[in-house]
């Protein structure tokens, strides 16, 4: 009771010390150990939380709340494999509860296991199809891996379920910003700020306006070539040979100048998994013209060593000549290569591989 009073007053350290004393004096008191673990976790004292929760699990090995809290504590401590095991235990105990699936997804994302993180969110959505925040979480995961079309579809579903969800408009704004589409990004952030006025949302609006201004200023400075609207498809290590012919994604090259650019080349490189970048010649881009170009990848044998989903960095580079001198612009983005056991049923050639 005293710890609750301290917590209500915002005196977290006093609450922690009170519960620590209670847990120490009553080592077989399950409630004392769990309460101590929870407060220690909220105070970012991960090691203390893990110790208390381990004691609680010795008393009640199949307690849902303890496994769930332990998963969060182990994740905070950086023990991600152990954290995932406890999240899975919580799921086993309450398979229809979405909370451990969300915790597990966060842990999997920290491990770089993007495909597994996405699958955990999809399982949560299957349990509760009406929770718009789950679709926002799904959209953010897609966005972190440059899967823009999938991210947009998830955001749109969230807004169908809850048209007044500020976090959905923020996710939508983040999507447009990453694609350098600043007008719709500003509109999305402004909607979020209108629904939930806050300093954070105001800052997002201001940042989008600043990026738009920089983009407009760029039009008046040479070179006036822009790489934008980068899209990536799911990439599977088991099908690595096909990407030499079938694109892994696309990029739009826009000529913002009034005059044409000729003899350009576009290169694409996945760092660590290609011996050399793929290159595509571009004969000419007329003034004001935009062209969407496919991105192909000649992966090396290193990709065969990918067993679990692995995050990588890709670089898209445009080479051209300006005023008789070689010049270039480039962007770097994240991408996930899915492990050998991953499969997509939309690609029949992968089935049975």
């Amino acid at each position: 009771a005293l710890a609750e009073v301290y917590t209500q007053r915002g005196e977290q350290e006093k609450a922690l010390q009170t519960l620590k004393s209670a847990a120490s004096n009553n080592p077989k008191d399950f409630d004392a150990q769990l309460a101590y673990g929870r407060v220690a976790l909220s105070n970012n004292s991960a090691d203390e939380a893990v110790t208390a929760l381990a004691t609680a699990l010795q008393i009640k090995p199949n307690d849902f709340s303890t496994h769930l809290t332990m998963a969060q504590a182990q994740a905070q401590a950086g023990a991600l494999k152990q954290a995932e095991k406890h999240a899975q235990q919580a799921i086993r105990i309450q398979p229809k509860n979405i909370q451990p699936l969300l915790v597990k997804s966060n842990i999997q994302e920290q491990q770089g296991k993007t495909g597994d993180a996405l699958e955990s969110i999809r399982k949560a959505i299957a349990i509760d199809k009406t929770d718009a925040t789950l679709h926002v979480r799904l959209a953010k995961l897609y966005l972190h891996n440059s899967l823009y079309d999938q991210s947009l579809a998830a955001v749109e579903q969230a807004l169908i379920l809850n048209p007044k969800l500020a976090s959905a408009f923020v996710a939508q704004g983040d999507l447009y910003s990453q694609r350098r589409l600043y007008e719709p990004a500003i509109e999305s952030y402004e909607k979020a700020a209108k629904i939930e006025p806050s300093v954070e949302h105001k800052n997002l609006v201001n940042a989008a306006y600043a990026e738009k201004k920089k983009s407009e200023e760029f039009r008046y400075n040479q070179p006036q070539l822009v790489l934008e609207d980068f899209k990536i498809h799911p990439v599977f290590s088991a099908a690595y040979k096909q990407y030499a012919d079938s694109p892994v994604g696309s990029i739009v090259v826009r000529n913002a100048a009034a005059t044409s650019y000729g003899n350009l080349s576009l290169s694409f490189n996945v760092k660590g998994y290609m011996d050399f970048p793929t290159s595509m010649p571009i004969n000419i881009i007329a003034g004001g013209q935009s062209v969407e170009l496919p991105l192909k990848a000649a992966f090396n044998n290193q990709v065969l060593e990918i067993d679990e989903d692995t995050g990588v960095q890709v670089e898209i580079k445009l080479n051209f000549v300006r005023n008789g001198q070689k010049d270039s612009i480039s962007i770097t983005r994240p991408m996930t290569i899915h492990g050998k056991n991953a499969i997509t049923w939309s690609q029949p050639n992968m089935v049975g591989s």
Side-chain angles (χ1 to χ4, degrees):
L2 181 58
E4 290 181 7
V5 172
Y6 284 137
T7 300
Q8 291 172 359
R9 291 177 180 176
E11 299 178 72
Q12 294 297 321
E13 186 59 32
K14 288 184 178 180
L16 180 62
Q17 294 306 317
T18 299
L19 289 169
K20 182 177 182 179
S21 178
S24 178
N25 293 331
N26 301 278
K28 295 185 178 182
D29 187 331
F30 170 80
D31 291 334
Q33 301 299 332
L34 178 57
Y36 174 34
R38 283 175 169 168
V39 173
L41 177 63
S42 67
N43 278 22
N44 296 316
S45 300
D47 291 340
E48 289 186 56
V50 168
T51 300
L53 294 167
T55 303
L57 284 172
Q58 289 177 354
I59 302 167
K60 291 186 178 181
N62 293 310
D63 183 71
F64 169 80
S65 295
T66 310
H67 278 292
L68 182 59
T69 309
M70 178 65 99
Q72 295 168 311
Q74 293 279 24
Q76 191 179 95
L80 297 178
K81 287 186 178 180
Q82 289 299 318
E84 187 175 359
K85 288 180 180 179
H86 283 285
Q88 186 57 44
Q89 281 285 74
I91 293 168
R92 180 186 61 80
I93 296 165
Q94 291 191 15
K96 296 299 182 181
N97 192 318
I98 66 172
Q99 288 306 313
L101 285 165
L102 293 176
V103 170
K104 185 180 179 182
S105 177
N106 289 333
I107 294 166
Q108 289 167 329
E109 185 182 14
Q110 290 179 61
Q111 293 175 291
K113 297 160 65 174
T114 306
D116 290 342
L118 286 166
E119 184 60 24
S120 292
I121 292 298
R122 293 191 192 103
K123 287 180 179 179
I125 290 173
I127 294 170
D128 187 354
K129 296 180 175 64
T130 64
D131 189 338
T133 63
L134 295 178
H135 293 274
V136 173
R137 168 68 180 149
L138 184 64
K140 289 180 177 179
L141 270 174
Y142 281 134
L143 180 58
H144 291 167
N145 291 277
S146 303
L147 297 170
Y148 299 130
D149 291 343
Q150 294 92 326
S151 180
L152 181 59
V155 167
E156 289 174 345
Q157 182 60 34
L159 289 171
I160 288 172
L161 292 170
N162 186 352
K164 298 295 184 181
L165 185 61
S167 62
F169 285 111
V170 169
Q172 189 179 60
D174 291 345
L175 167 63
Y176 288 133
S177 289
Q178 193 162 311
R179 293 175 67 178
R180 301 185 180 183
L181 304 173
Y182 298 116
E183 285 287 355
I186 290 169
E187 182 180 349
S188 296
Y189 289 141
E190 286 181 335
K191 287 179 179 177
K194 184 176 180 180
I195 294 168
E196 290 183 10
S198 69
V199 173
E200 179 185 359
H201 291 158
K202 184 178 179 180
N203 288 341
L204 288 172
V205 173
N206 291 339
Y209 270 113
E211 288 298 319
K212 178 189 174 187
K213 183 179 179 181
K214 286 170 58 177
S215 177
E216 290 172 344
E217 289 173 350
F218 180 77
R219 295 181 185 179
Y220 302 101
N221 299 302
Q222 294 291 344
Q224 293 186 346
L225 293 167
V226 183
L227 295 172
E228 60 187 9
D229 204 7
F230 169 58
K231 298 177 183 177
I232 201 75
H233 309 311
V235 176
F236 300 86
S237 61
Y240 76 103
K241 290 184 178 180
Q242 77 178 39
Y243 300 115
D245 299 310
S246 299
V248 299
S250 63
I251 189 80
V252 171
V253 180
R254 176 167 61 87
N255 182 1
T259 56
S260 300
Y261 275 83
N263 299 318
L264 309 93
S265 67
L266 183 77
S267 67
F268 176 73
N269 188 32
V270 181
K271 297 180 181 180
Y273 295 97
M274 291 173 61
D275 292 330
F276 50 85
T278 55
S279 183
M280 174 185 297
I282 306 170
N283 292 329
I284 191 169
I285 300 181
Q289 182 185 14
S290 295
V291 292
E292 184 173 11
L293 301 170
L295 301 171
K296 299 179 182 180
F299 288 108
N300 58 30
N301 289 338
Q302 286 291 112
V303 77
L304 294 175
E305 298 181 8
I306 297 178
D307 294 320
E308 297 183 339
D309 296 348
T310 300
V312 298
Q313 291 291 314
V314 304
E315 181 185 53
I316 305 99
K317 187 174 184 179
L318 182 68
N319 299 288
F320 54 94
V321 174
R322 177 169 64 98
N323 297 328
Q325 300 293 320
K326 291 183 178 179
D327 206 344
S328 66
I329 56 172
S330 64
I331 61 172
T332 302
R333 292 287 185 271
M335 183 182 82
T336 295
I337 300 177
H338 296 283
K340 287 185 289 189
N341 294 326
I343 189 169
T344 175
W345 296 100
S346 64
Q347 295 177 305
N349 60 314
M350 290 186 62
V351 180
S353 63

